[in-house]
Amino acid sequence: MNTTDPAPCFVRKQRAFLLSDDSALRDMLLSMWSSDWIEFTVFERGRGAIEYLFNDPPDLLVVDNRLSDISGAEIANLVKSENVYRQLPVVLVLDHDDMGSPWDWASVEVDDFLVRPFSDSEARDRINLTLCRATRAMDANPLTKLPGNTSIIQRIQSLIDKEQDFALAYCDLDYFKSFNDKYGFSRGDEILMMTARVIVNTIKSFGGSGNFVGHVGGDDYVFIMSPDEVEQACQRIIATFDAIVPNFYDASDRKLGKIVSKDRQGLVREFPIMAVSIAVVFNIDGRLKHFGEASAIAMSLKKKAKENPESCYVLDRRN
Amino acid sequence: MEDLKTSVKGQVLAIQDLPTLPGVLDEVTKLVENPETSTEEIANVIGKDQVLSAKVLKMVNSPIYGFPGRISSIQHGLVLLGFNVIRGIIISTSVFDMMVQAMQGLWEHSIGVATASNIVARRAGFDDPEEYAVAGLLHDLGKVVTAVQLPELHESILNTAKEKNLSYYKAEKHVLGFAHDRINAWLARHWHLPGNIREAMSRHHSPHMAELYKSTACVVHLGDFMVRLFEFGNSGDDQTAYLRPEAMKELGFKMSDLERCMDELADQLLDVSDMSF
């Protein structure tokens, strides 16, 4: 059994709970990964583990359906019924006899299962796959499927730690809220999808291998790319966005070049066609130490970019 | 006749692959293989092919991308889809192996109408003439679908047109009970194409009946008329074209406007006819 090679898609060491009194299973799992990659905490009883699970949820839960005090399925459901723990990947361990009739996976919401007798290599790869799948799925924005905050922060911090030069751009939309208010959120979502496509395809067209696009949420996006190309990328995003966004307005509003709607105080106000503002922070020669600095600089730049009602970008030139 | 309509509609909407002519496909394939190519260059070439254009608009307006019915420009479609998807569309497009000769006339006619619609839209003072060109390009797509999905009926329509000396449109009604404008309407709705393109596809023979985008239907109607007058390409018959006065009125056109457009089209068709089909 290969115990030294790191599993390919773990970004960091994974903490796993094993709930089982089967010592053979425990020995098998513990021998599969170096504890630098997956560190198992073993509980022989189910009930006692629940509080630990809730207080300090691991990255993976392997639970034996054979537990003497509570069924594995019950524990899985306990975890999955609460949105805070819902994302925690759960692997249920079954006996061959448990497989006689089909399981109702809609009521037992586990992510995968292992069946005795185990094939070691299959068990290893199923768990690796479950962890990879969870990392992919967990942080994606549900609308655009772009990586969300956790991935964004990890990416930025790891580039900072490696002292790698990069440009980090924060994009957001001007007058998105008034568009949403007037046309409704499903048309607002269309705008968010369109913006995501514009940013992703523009960044992809530069072809750099380290490029990254994330969706912070709402109308906020970030992208990371080489400092040499970022200005050109901003220009292209702006040109494309400005050309496409009028198609999402009603013809009459497009003709007017603005929308008229009531604000919170009930006053009639006019809002221009949406625009995109981009604030770009550079990390050159290891200037930044923490991702928090990057986002703080970006937020102050964004204010500057927002003063311009048209699409524009602002570069942080303090290098 | 209702039965034929139901079965034909099913077959039409079930279409998996619209084949195209080899020329444009080869050209686009070369462009897409080169990483230096800009989307603008690809858009220019795809914009000359009704089938590839229809595929791009169908895909970018599909609910998967989350904004159905919004995009009517090929260039915007390409930017939003990205290179990988475009490459996928190109790879999965086959070529007409039979009847290339017969289809060639329709391709020439379609690009002629795209060119003419652009000219008419500009003359009428409309913004975004490129969108009218796309509508013109796609106005006879239903005929391609008939040729591919219903080859026997297609054959019978062509024979009827010849034998009874009818227009292709009338021959379609004779054989099917309805015509390509109806087929276009099914496709455009099924594919979530934007309203202006849908209306031009389904109302270019009866622009006065258009409801929401009358101007697009009228522009394409005029474009179709002009190209048939020049006998550029072939859309299935050799009948004289008709012009609905309502379309001229809707666009605020006098005969002199039409003449100006005809002159401009004459020049541009020379360039278009240099294209290899």
Side-chain angles (χ1 to χ4, degrees), chain A residues 59-88:
Chain A
D59 303 299
L60 170 74
L61 171 64
V62 181
V63 55
D64 199 336
N65 204 41
R66 260 191 206 175
L67 282 171
S68 53
D69 55 344
I70 182 171
S71 85
E74 216 171 314
I75 297 219
N77 283 349
L78 209 55
V79 170
K80 292 290 190 181
S81 65
E82 207 36 73
N83 72 317
V84 178
Y85 309 107
R86 216 182 143 65
Q87 309 274 28
L88 164 59

mmCIF file of all heavy atoms in Angstrom, chain A residues 59-88:
data_model
loop_
_atom_site.group_PDB
_atom_site.id
_atom_site.type_symbol
_atom_site.label_atom_id
_atom_site.label_comp_id
_atom_site.label_asym_id
_atom_site.label_seq_id
_atom_site.Cartn_x
_atom_site.Cartn_y
_atom_site.Cartn_z
ATOM 1 N N ASP A 59 -12.896 17.113 8.024
ATOM 2 C CA ASP A 59 -13.060 17.272 6.574
ATOM 3 C C ASP A 59 -13.733 16.053 5.967
ATOM 4 O O ASP A 59 -14.177 16.091 4.815
ATOM 5 C CB ASP A 59 -11.692 17.457 5.909
ATOM 6 C CG ASP A 59 -10.942 18.635 6.481
ATOM 7 O OD1 ASP A 59 -11.463 19.749 6.366
ATOM 8 O OD2 ASP A 59 -9.857 18.437 7.076
ATOM 9 N N LEU A 60 -13.749 14.964 6.752
ATOM 10 C CA LEU A 60 -14.331 13.728 6.227
ATOM 11 C C LEU A 60 -14.849 12.898 7.393
ATOM 12 O O LEU A 60 -14.213 12.847 8.447
ATOM 13 C CB LEU A 60 -13.233 12.917 5.494
ATOM 14 C CG LEU A 60 -13.589 11.481 5.085
ATOM 15 C CD1 LEU A 60 -14.542 11.491 3.898
ATOM 16 C CD2 LEU A 60 -12.328 10.696 4.729
ATOM 17 N N LEU A 61 -16.004 12.285 7.172
ATOM 18 C CA LEU A 61 -16.538 11.392 8.193
ATOM 19 C C LEU A 61 -16.742 10.015 7.576
ATOM 20 O O LEU A 61 -17.457 9.879 6.582
ATOM 21 C CB LEU A 61 -17.881 11.946 8.713
ATOM 22 C CG LEU A 61 -18.685 11.033 9.639
ATOM 23 C CD1 LEU A 61 -17.928 10.770 10.936
ATOM 24 C CD2 LEU A 61 -20.039 11.662 9.943
ATOM 25 N N VAL A 62 -16.057 9.001 8.154
ATOM 26 C CA VAL A 62 -16.287 7.624 7.719
ATOM 27 C C VAL A 62 -17.045 6.946 8.852
ATOM 28 O O VAL A 62 -16.564 6.900 9.982
ATOM 29 C CB VAL A 62 -14.955 6.884 7.464
ATOM 30 C CG1 VAL A 62 -15.220 5.459 6.986
ATOM 31 C CG2 VAL A 62 -14.106 7.642 6.451
ATOM 32 N N VAL A 63 -18.256 6.478 8.543
ATOM 33 C CA VAL A 63 -19.067 5.945 9.627
ATOM 34 C C VAL A 63 -19.551 4.537 9.283
ATOM 35 O O VAL A 63 -20.036 4.275 8.193
ATOM 36 C CB VAL A 63 -20.221 6.916 9.998
ATOM 37 C CG1 VAL A 63 -21.070 7.265 8.784
ATOM 38 C CG2 VAL A 63 -21.082 6.352 11.111
ATOM 39 N N ASP A 64 -19.343 3.651 10.252
ATOM 40 C CA ASP A 64 -19.675 2.237 10.072
ATOM 41 C C ASP A 64 -21.154 2.021 10.381
ATOM 42 O O ASP A 64 -21.632 2.446 11.432
ATOM 43 C CB ASP A 64 -18.809 1.417 11.044
ATOM 44 C CG ASP A 64 -18.742 -0.036 10.622
ATOM 45 O OD1 ASP A 64 -19.664 -0.497 9.916
ATOM 46 O OD2 ASP A 64 -17.752 -0.695 11.017
ATOM 47 N N ASN A 65 -21.849 1.368 9.478
ATOM 48 C CA ASN A 65 -23.260 1.108 9.732
ATOM 49 C C ASN A 65 -23.444 0.079 10.846
ATOM 50 O O ASN A 65 -24.524 -0.086 11.387
ATOM 51 C CB ASN A 65 -23.942 0.640 8.443
ATOM 52 C CG ASN A 65 -25.440 0.912 8.461
ATOM 53 O OD1 ASN A 65 -25.864 1.971 8.917
ATOM 54 N ND2 ASN A 65 -26.228 -0.044 7.995
ATOM 55 N N ARG A 66 -22.350 -0.625 11.185
ATOM 56 C CA ARG A 66 -22.384 -1.672 12.207
ATOM 57 C C ARG A 66 -22.257 -1.154 13.625
ATOM 58 O O ARG A 66 -22.192 -1.949 14.560
ATOM 59 C CB ARG A 66 -21.145 -2.553 12.016
ATOM 60 C CG ARG A 66 -21.361 -3.834 11.300
ATOM 61 C CD ARG A 66 -20.059 -4.605 11.513
ATOM 62 N NE ARG A 66 -19.826 -5.546 10.450
ATOM 63 C CZ ARG A 66 -18.717 -6.272 10.349
ATOM 64 N NH1 ARG A 66 -17.738 -6.120 11.248
ATOM 65 N NH2 ARG A 66 -18.574 -7.125 9.388
ATOM 66 N N LEU A 67 -22.148 0.143 13.825
ATOM 67 C CA LEU A 67 -21.958 0.687 15.177
ATOM 68 C C LEU A 67 -22.997 0.085 16.122
ATOM 69 O O LEU A 67 -24.158 -0.068 15.748
ATOM 70 C CB LEU A 67 -22.141 2.212 15.170
ATOM 71 C CG LEU A 67 -20.985 3.055 14.645
ATOM 72 C CD1 LEU A 67 -21.426 4.502 14.500
ATOM 73 C CD2 LEU A 67 -19.783 2.949 15.579
ATOM 74 N N SER A 68 -22.558 -0.212 17.337
ATOM 75 C CA SER A 68 -23.474 -0.935 18.221
ATOM 76 C C SER A 68 -24.542 -0.026 18.834
ATOM 77 O O SER A 68 -25.654 -0.447 19.116
ATOM 78 C CB SER A 68 -22.673 -1.614 19.336
ATOM 79 O OG SER A 68 -21.859 -0.636 19.962
ATOM 80 N N ASP A 69 -24.228 1.261 19.021
ATOM 81 C CA ASP A 69 -25.163 2.101 19.769
ATOM 82 C C ASP A 69 -26.098 2.948 18.912
ATOM 83 O O ASP A 69 -27.121 3.422 19.386
ATOM 84 C CB ASP A 69 -24.386 3.006 20.745
ATOM 85 C CG ASP A 69 -23.334 3.828 20.038
ATOM 86 O OD1 ASP A 69 -22.986 3.508 18.877
ATOM 87 O OD2 ASP A 69 -22.862 4.811 20.642
ATOM 88 N N ILE A 70 -25.762 3.152 17.663
ATOM 89 C CA ILE A 70 -26.603 4.001 16.797
ATOM 90 C C ILE A 70 -26.249 3.634 15.352
ATOM 91 O O ILE A 70 -25.099 3.278 15.072
ATOM 92 C CB ILE A 70 -26.348 5.502 17.093
ATOM 93 C CG1 ILE A 70 -27.243 6.410 16.237
ATOM 94 C CG2 ILE A 70 -24.897 5.889 16.898
ATOM 95 C CD1 ILE A 70 -27.177 7.886 16.665
ATOM 96 N N SER A 71 -27.219 3.690 14.471
ATOM 97 C CA SER A 71 -26.884 3.246 13.119
ATOM 98 C C SER A 71 -26.100 4.321 12.376
ATOM 99 O O SER A 71 -26.252 5.525 12.631
ATOM 100 C CB SER A 71 -28.158 2.901 12.330
ATOM 101 O OG SER A 71 -28.693 4.060 11.739
ATOM 102 N N GLY A 72 -25.255 3.881 11.474
ATOM 103 C CA GLY A 72 -24.439 4.806 10.680
ATOM 104 C C GLY A 72 -25.316 5.750 9.896
ATOM 105 O O GLY A 72 -25.028 6.954 9.786
ATOM 106 N N ALA A 73 -26.399 5.206 9.360
ATOM 107 C CA ALA A 73 -27.300 6.040 8.556
ATOM 108 C C ALA A 73 -27.882 7.176 9.396
ATOM 109 O O ALA A 73 -28.025 8.309 8.942
ATOM 110 C CB ALA A 73 -28.420 5.181 7.984
ATOM 111 N N GLU A 74 -28.177 6.849 10.657
ATOM 112 C CA GLU A 74 -28.754 7.856 11.542
ATOM 113 C C GLU A 74 -27.765 9.002 11.790
ATOM 114 O O GLU A 74 -28.125 10.168 11.797
ATOM 115 C CB GLU A 74 -29.121 7.181 12.861
ATOM 116 C CG GLU A 74 -30.378 7.700 13.496
ATOM 117 C CD GLU A 74 -30.785 6.835 14.686
ATOM 118 O OE1 GLU A 74 -30.762 5.574 14.553
ATOM 119 O OE2 GLU A 74 -31.076 7.393 15.737
ATOM 120 N N ILE A 75 -26.509 8.627 12.007
ATOM 121 C CA ILE A 75 -25.485 9.654 12.221
ATOM 122 C C ILE A 75 -25.331 10.510 10.974
ATOM 123 O O ILE A 75 -25.256 11.744 11.045
ATOM 124 C CB ILE A 75 -24.127 9.006 12.576
ATOM 125 C CG1 ILE A 75 -24.282 8.259 13.902
ATOM 126 C CG2 ILE A 75 -23.013 10.046 12.592
ATOM 127 C CD1 ILE A 75 -23.121 8.359 14.815
ATOM 128 N N ALA A 76 -25.307 9.836 9.822
ATOM 129 C CA ALA A 76 -25.159 10.572 8.567
ATOM 130 C C ALA A 76 -26.286 11.599 8.435
ATOM 131 O O ALA A 76 -26.049 12.762 8.096
ATOM 132 C CB ALA A 76 -25.176 9.606 7.381
ATOM 133 N N ASN A 77 -27.502 11.171 8.734
ATOM 134 C CA ASN A 77 -28.635 12.090 8.594
ATOM 135 C C ASN A 77 -28.587 13.237 9.586
ATOM 136 O O ASN A 77 -28.980 14.354 9.271
ATOM 137 C CB ASN A 77 -29.951 11.329 8.745
ATOM 138 C CG ASN A 77 -30.271 10.560 7.489
ATOM 139 O OD1 ASN A 77 -29.620 10.765 6.466
ATOM 140 N ND2 ASN A 77 -31.244 9.683 7.563
ATOM 141 N N LEU A 78 -28.080 12.939 10.768
ATOM 142 C CA LEU A 78 -27.930 13.987 11.767
ATOM 143 C C LEU A 78 -27.020 15.090 11.241
ATOM 144 O O LEU A 78 -27.286 16.284 11.385
ATOM 145 C CB LEU A 78 -27.328 13.344 13.023
ATOM 146 C CG LEU A 78 -27.630 13.926 14.387
ATOM 147 C CD1 LEU A 78 -29.123 14.016 14.611
ATOM 148 C CD2 LEU A 78 -26.984 13.043 15.462
ATOM 149 N N VAL A 79 -25.951 14.671 10.614
ATOM 150 C CA VAL A 79 -24.968 15.624 10.091
ATOM 151 C C VAL A 79 -25.542 16.375 8.896
ATOM 152 O O VAL A 79 -25.423 17.601 8.784
ATOM 153 C CB VAL A 79 -23.680 14.877 9.670
ATOM 154 C CG1 VAL A 79 -22.750 15.803 8.902
ATOM 155 C CG2 VAL A 79 -22.982 14.311 10.893
ATOM 156 N N LYS A 80 -26.196 15.633 8.004
ATOM 157 C CA LYS A 80 -26.626 16.241 6.743
ATOM 158 C C LYS A 80 -27.882 17.106 6.887
ATOM 159 O O LYS A 80 -28.219 17.851 5.980
ATOM 160 C CB LYS A 80 -26.896 15.142 5.712
ATOM 161 C CG LYS A 80 -25.641 14.396 5.274
ATOM 162 C CD LYS A 80 -24.746 15.292 4.432
ATOM 163 C CE LYS A 80 -23.630 14.469 3.787
ATOM 164 N NZ LYS A 80 -22.728 15.312 2.993
ATOM 165 N N SER A 81 -28.571 16.977 8.013
ATOM 166 C CA SER A 81 -29.816 17.730 8.138
ATOM 167 C C SER A 81 -29.543 19.180 8.522
ATOM 168 O O SER A 81 -30.441 20.012 8.483
ATOM 169 C CB SER A 81 -30.714 17.085 9.180
ATOM 170 O OG SER A 81 -30.083 17.175 10.439
ATOM 171 N N GLU A 82 -28.344 19.487 8.912
ATOM 172 C CA GLU A 82 -28.031 20.828 9.408
ATOM 173 C C GLU A 82 -27.162 21.530 8.362
ATOM 174 O O GLU A 82 -26.113 21.016 7.977
ATOM 175 C CB GLU A 82 -27.272 20.633 10.729
ATOM 176 C CG GLU A 82 -27.370 21.733 11.731
ATOM 177 C CD GLU A 82 -28.699 22.430 11.789
ATOM 178 O OE1 GLU A 82 -29.689 21.851 12.292
ATOM 179 O OE2 GLU A 82 -28.745 23.581 11.303
ATOM 180 N N ASN A 83 -27.578 22.684 7.870
ATOM 181 C CA ASN A 83 -26.852 23.284 6.750
ATOM 182 C C ASN A 83 -25.383 23.560 7.068
ATOM 183 O O ASN A 83 -24.526 23.507 6.198
ATOM 184 C CB ASN A 83 -27.555 24.562 6.263
ATOM 185 C CG ASN A 83 -27.400 25.698 7.240
ATOM 186 O OD1 ASN A 83 -27.518 25.520 8.439
ATOM 187 N ND2 ASN A 83 -27.114 26.882 6.728
ATOM 188 N N VAL A 84 -25.086 23.808 8.342
ATOM 189 C CA VAL A 84 -23.710 24.101 8.730
ATOM 190 C C VAL A 84 -22.786 22.896 8.453
ATOM 191 O O VAL A 84 -21.618 23.062 8.111
ATOM 192 C CB VAL A 84 -23.651 24.453 10.228
ATOM 193 C CG1 VAL A 84 -22.231 24.705 10.686
ATOM 194 C CG2 VAL A 84 -24.538 25.646 10.525
ATOM 195 N N TYR A 85 -23.329 21.706 8.595
ATOM 196 C CA TYR A 85 -22.498 20.502 8.433
ATOM 197 C C TYR A 85 -22.761 19.783 7.114
ATOM 198 O O TYR A 85 -22.149 18.765 6.825
ATOM 199 C CB TYR A 85 -22.762 19.518 9.584
ATOM 200 C CG TYR A 85 -22.660 20.144 10.955
ATOM 201 C CD1 TYR A 85 -23.783 20.405 11.721
ATOM 202 C CD2 TYR A 85 -21.409 20.502 11.467
ATOM 203 C CE1 TYR A 85 -23.690 21.003 12.968
ATOM 204 C CE2 TYR A 85 -21.304 21.107 12.716
ATOM 205 C CZ TYR A 85 -22.449 21.352 13.457
ATOM 206 O OH TYR A 85 -22.334 21.942 14.682
ATOM 207 N N ARG A 86 -23.701 20.293 6.381
ATOM 208 C CA ARG A 86 -24.186 19.603 5.193
ATOM 209 C C ARG A 86 -23.100 19.267 4.178
ATOM 210 O O ARG A 86 -23.153 18.263 3.484
ATOM 211 C CB ARG A 86 -25.229 20.492 4.515
ATOM 212 C CG ARG A 86 -26.320 19.722 3.915
ATOM 213 C CD ARG A 86 -27.328 20.591 3.216
ATOM 214 N NE ARG A 86 -27.747 19.855 2.041
ATOM 215 C CZ ARG A 86 -28.415 18.711 2.089
ATOM 216 N NH1 ARG A 86 -28.791 18.223 3.242
ATOM 217 N NH2 ARG A 86 -28.721 18.069 1.002
ATOM 218 N N GLN A 87 -22.104 20.158 4.105
ATOM 219 C CA GLN A 87 -21.053 19.988 3.091
ATOM 220 C C GLN A 87 -20.037 18.914 3.482
ATOM 221 O O GLN A 87 -19.231 18.510 2.666
ATOM 222 C CB GLN A 87 -20.288 21.301 2.900
ATOM 223 C CG GLN A 87 -21.175 22.492 2.650
ATOM 224 C CD GLN A 87 -21.524 22.642 1.192
ATOM 225 O OE1 GLN A 87 -21.559 21.666 0.453
ATOM 226 N NE2 GLN A 87 -21.773 23.866 0.772
ATOM 227 N N LEU A 88 -20.065 18.496 4.755
ATOM 228 C CA LEU A 88 -19.080 17.512 5.225
ATOM 229 C C LEU A 88 -19.293 16.175 4.508
ATOM 230 O O LEU A 88 -20.374 15.595 4.582
ATOM 231 C CB LEU A 88 -19.246 17.349 6.746
ATOM 232 C CG LEU A 88 -18.616 16.129 7.418
ATOM 233 C CD1 LEU A 88 -17.108 16.098 7.198
ATOM 234 C CD2 LEU A 88 -18.920 16.146 8.913
#
